Amino acid sequence: MDLTELGAFLRSRRARTTPAEVGLPTGPRRRVPGLRRDEVATLAGASVDYYTELERGKGTQPSAQMLAALARALRLTHDERDHLYVLADRRPPADARSAHVDPAMLALLDRLDTTPARIITDLHETVVQNHLADALLGPPHPATSFIQQWFTDEDVRRVYPVEDHPHHSKVLVHDLRAAAARRGADPTATAMITRLRAASPEFAALWDTGDVAVRRGDRKRVIHPELGTLDLHCQNLFSEDGRQRLQFFTAPVGGPAVEQLDLLAVIGVQRFAE
């Protein structure tokens, strides 16, 4: 592990990343051409002292989760991300295309600050989401597929009206079949399907129908304890290889959800903290 080289690499990537690229105001008095250390630390969910030690080539080996957060914060390309892992003496994830977000997609997410939005993989694993998505759906479960949660954890379903559950189950299974076919002989998708068939009779029955449909958009109702049920449009924008999608929620024009989303921004994530 070469912490000195790791620190130098982080400094060089920070210097070339502009505030505008990550959705931050430029400001009239900036002493550095790129981001400040405290800005990178905030974007990565780290303390300023910890990040400063990394840039100085000191401290302990960063975790894989921290490296992934730094790669997103600094808008690293796939090759740069893998290089960051190597410098930290960590093995890059085998499925880097799903775990790492394209900088252009992240830039778009940064600009969606008035609507709940998140980036998920084709297996419905949440990679990153904005604060309004936290407030609407709750904190994500990193590296855990929402499809697996849906069919194995009853608590996950409580966010959606009971009468909508059969529809969501069908849509999720149909979309998973399309994703598995695109991936080919992918061990991650195959293992996930095997586990779900064994754990959920509902999943097994739906899978055996052979039905397939890519989930591009839907009307979704979400239950919020303070705001009631929000009736929203849910749309997906796909990456070029189809492995990731930017999912965002908007209110139908003239509907009550317009005001509900405005209130959601005020309420934030208080209910989850409680």
Side-chain angles (χ1 to χ4, degrees), residues 42-164:
T42 299
L43 290 169
S47 70
V48 178
D49 288 341
Y50 174 80
Y51 179 74
T52 300
E53 289 295 292
L54 281 182
E55 279 205 0
R56 289 175 176 170
K58 301 179 181 179
T60 59
Q61 181 188 35
S63 67
Q65 292 82 0
M66 177 52 62
L67 292 172
L70 288 170
R72 289 195 295 269
L74 293 169
R75 302 303 192 259
L76 301 187
T77 65
H78 292 293
D79 291 339
E80 290 172 334
R81 174 185 181 273
D82 287 353
H83 184 62
L84 180 69
Y85 272 74
V86 170
L87 291 177
D89 200 21
R90 298 279 186 188
R91 183 186 297 274
D95 191 8
R97 289 184 297 173
S98 292
H100 181 59
V101 183
D102 184 89
M105 189 173 280
L106 266 178
L108 183 56
L109 177 65
D110 289 335
R111 284 158 177 75
L112 294 176
D113 56 359
T114 60
T115 190
R118 59 186 179 179
I119 295 173
I120 64 175
T121 71
D122 56 344
L123 299 182
H124 292 252
E125 301 155 324
T126 299
V127 182
V128 61
Q129 66 184 27
N130 65 13
H131 69 288
L132 282 178
D134 284 338
L136 179 67
L137 305 169
H141 299 271
T144 302
S145 168
F146 177 76
I147 301 177
Q148 184 171 328
Q149 296 172 50
W150 178 264
F151 287 102
T152 60
D153 186 352
E154 287 295 327
D155 289 339
V156 171
R157 300 193 177 203
R158 294 178 182 175
V159 182
Y160 307 93
V162 174
E163 56 270 27
D164 295 351

Side-chain angles (χ1 to χ4, degrees), residues 216-219 233-237 246-250:
R216 295 182 174 86
D218 205 353
R219 193 76 172 255
H233 290 305
C234 176
Q235 297 294 325
N236 295 292
L237 296 177
L246 174 61
Q247 186 178 80
F248 58 98
F249 300 81
T250 57

